[in-house]
Amino acid sequence: MSLLTIAAILLALTGLFAWINQRFFKLPVTIGLMILALSNALGLLVLEQIEPRWVEPVEQMMMSIDFDRTLMHGMLGYLLFAGALHVDMAKLRNQRAIVLLLATVGVLLTAVLVGGATWFVTQLFNLHVPFVFCLAFGALIAPTDPIAVLAILKKVGAPRSIEIKLAGESLFNDGVAVVLFVGLLRIAGIGGPAAAARAAQHDLAEEIIHHAEGVLKLFLVEVGGGLLLGLALGGLLVALLARIDDYKTEVLLTLAGVTAGYELCTTFHLSGPLAMVIAGLFIGNRGRMAALSEESARRLDDFWELIDEILNSVLFVLIGLEVLIITLEPSYLIVGALVIPLVLLGRLATVAGLTWLLKRTQEFSPGATRLLAWAGLRGGVSVALALSLKGKLPPEMSAVGDLLVTMTYVVVCFSIIVQGLTIGPLVKKLGLAGLPPSMPPSMPPAPVAPPPPGH
């Protein structure tokens, strides 16, 4: 099946599901698309028990799609640039402490807490997953995806500060989580059978010491290099945009810049996600003030908002359809279900600890900790990282890869569907709905002056 045929089928399904959702269910777009795609995929699995021939072409199509490459080396750069383009740097700067901590220390803490708890659960089921791979699971499940959440928060009128925290964290934690995941795989000895054997025997301390220098260098080069390339790319694009006033050319320049910039990062092993975030922030703020006319800025926003909506819609349909090629072993599904509360508790502990550290210097709305914890949805990056394991693990560890993929998929489905659909009610229950951005929830409404005499 050709690439064009696959793209045509996915776009057709996305358009059809979007119409059905808008016509009958009116759920948030990404959540509705995933539910419809997942429901149809599960229906195909039932049909497969009756007539396998009818389902085989769909399964073959899904197996031919490299989800990891499609997202991590295709969609992700555009999605992160589009998201960063609309973030107000001044507001983000006000929340920089909590955003920075959640995107760095938060990812590390989540990886350790979730990884450790996951190791105990897998041991209870005699699945014997090496501890380092449990940590890798913690790393891949750490990044958050607020696409569906932000639309809901805006609809119910949640404080703007909560939206900025969630958006800022999600923009930066993808790059950090990817580097941490890759570093853990190096410690696990992926690509080296001798090191893999040692990791499988749980000699984790020895492997960490052995690979510490390489992992630190990886982190500094990928993260630091990505940030520098993003600044250079953003500065170059702003300089070019400032010398013209034609929105078509300006849109084309940004599209070319994101495509070429992400490819440069891939070629030189730098963090493409972080580079695109920095470039997007630079153009969306500095470029908007110094290089873009009002019409150009509006056209650029419209273009990237449309790109963001289309790619996210296709991505969530893909996530729903991935169930067709996931190992649905009952024990794997049970472990995945048991891991869900562990991921939620890990997120809550991390958010609560970091907000407690900052409460002396930064004001948080009552209930903000619980909302930030529950609104930390997992999405496509987690699924892509898990699926990337299947092609990297040696044959004798293929069962470990299948288990981690299934666990990740169960957590992501719960996160998007259950957490996504309950964000609105939670905001209302916490008393955060319908508040003006500048009014803290605890502030009573201003008294209404009595009418003048005679009125």
Side-chain angles (χ1 to χ4, degrees), residues 307-374:
I307 291 292
D308 190 39
E309 290 287 341
I310 293 172
L311 291 182
N312 267 303
S313 297
V314 174
L315 173 60
F316 277 77
V317 168
L318 265 177
I319 293 175
L321 294 176
E322 284 293 321
V323 73
L324 291 169
I325 59 173
I326 285 175
T327 304
L328 300 179
E329 179 74 27
S331 61
Y332 293 2
L333 294 172
I334 293 172
V335 172
L338 292 175
V339 165
I340 290 172
L342 302 180
V343 173
L344 293 174
L345 288 173
R347 168 74 177 176
L348 178 60
T350 299
V351 173
L354 295 178
T355 53
W356 179 80
L357 284 175
L358 294 174
K359 275 188 175 178
R360 293 183 179 180
T361 58
Q362 187 171 342
E363 185 178 353
F364 291 91
S365 305
T369 298
R370 282 173 286 173
L371 182 56
L372 285 171
W374 190 252

Side-chain angles (χ1 to χ4, degrees), residues 39-354:
S39 301
N40 279 270
L42 292 174
L44 288 174
L45 290 177
V46 173
L47 180 63
E48 187 178 28
Q49 307 304 314
I50 304 171
E51 187 53 70
R53 292 180 303 163
W54 296 351
V55 184
E56 284 178 3
V58 184
E59 290 183 339
Q60 290 175 0
M61 182 190 77
M62 292 306 300
M63 292 179 68
S64 69
I65 299 174
D66 188 335
F67 189 92
D68 172 45
R69 179 165 291 277
T70 300
L71 176 59
M72 303 303 293
H73 300 286
M75 296 180 175
L76 188 59
Y78 302 106
L79 290 171
L80 290 174
F81 179 86
L85 191 68
H86 299 98
V87 172
D88 188 329
M89 196 63 190
K91 294 178 180 177
L92 182 62
R93 194 178 295 113
N94 292 335
Q95 306 292 335
R96 62 185 180 277
I98 186 63
V99 167
L100 180 62
L101 285 176
L102 285 173
T104 54
V105 178
V107 170
L108 294 171
L109 286 176
T110 300
V112 172
L113 293 174
V114 174
T118 300
W119 184 79
F120 281 107
V121 171
T122 56
Q123 294 304 302
L124 288 175
F125 282 79
N126 295 317
L127 294 171
H128 304 298
V129 180
F131 186 66
V132 68
F133 286 103
C134 291
L135 289 178
F137 171 75
L140 69 85
I141 211 68
T144 55
D145 184 349
I147 296 300
V149 172
L150 290 178
I152 298 171
L153 291 178
K154 289 178 182 177
K155 185 176 181 181
V156 298
R160 180 64 176 163
S161 61
I162 299 289
E163 296 179 31
I164 292 293
K165 290 182 180 74
L166 286 169
E169 177 196 3
S170 68
L171 287 174
F172 289 100
N173 65 12
D174 284 346
V176 175
V178 169
V179 174
L180 178 61
F181 177 77
V182 172
L184 287 167
L185 291 189
R186 288 194 179 183
I187 291 172
I190 297 300
R198 291 198 300 271
Q201 295 170 6
H202 308 290
D203 296 332
L204 182 58
E206 177 186 341
E207 289 306 309
I208 290 177
I209 295 172
H210 181 73
H211 292 280
E213 184 179 349
V215 172
L216 181 60
K217 182 180 178 181
L218 169 74
F219 188 84
L220 292 176
V221 170
E222 288 216 12
V223 173
L227 294 175
L228 289 175
L229 193 144
L231 281 172
L233 177 62
L236 175 63
L237 287 175
V238 168
L240 294 175
L241 294 172
R243 286 162 173 77
I244 59 172
D245 186 16
D246 178 69
Y247 74 85
K248 296 177 183 177
T249 306
E250 290 165 332
V251 167
L252 182 59
L253 271 176
T254 57
L255 183 61
V258 173
T259 306
Y262 204 91
E263 186 60 30
L264 277 175
C265 288
T266 302
T267 302
F268 293 103
H269 305 290
L270 308 177
S271 176
L274 289 176
M276 294 305 103
V277 169
I278 296 300
L281 288 173
F282 202 93
I283 294 173
N285 290 270
R286 176 64 179 172
R288 199 180 297 274
M289 293 186 299
L292 297 172
S293 65
E294 184 177 341
E295 182 185 9
S296 293
R298 179 172 56 82
R299 298 276 192 168
L300 195 68
D301 286 340
D302 290 344
F303 173 80
W304 282 105
E305 184 177 347
L306 185 59
I307 291 292
D308 190 39
E309 290 287 341
I310 293 172
L311 291 182
N312 267 303
S313 297
V314 174
L315 173 60
F316 277 77
V317 168
L318 265 177
I319 293 175
L321 294 176
E322 284 293 321
V323 73
L324 291 169
I325 59 173
I326 285 175
T327 304
L328 300 179
E329 179 74 27
S331 61
Y332 293 2
L333 294 172
I334 293 172
V335 172
L338 292 175
V339 165
I340 290 172
L342 302 180
V343 173
L344 293 174
L345 288 173
R347 168 74 177 176
L348 178 60
T350 299
V351 173
L354 295 178

Side-chain angles (χ1 to χ4, degrees), residues 446-452:
V448 179

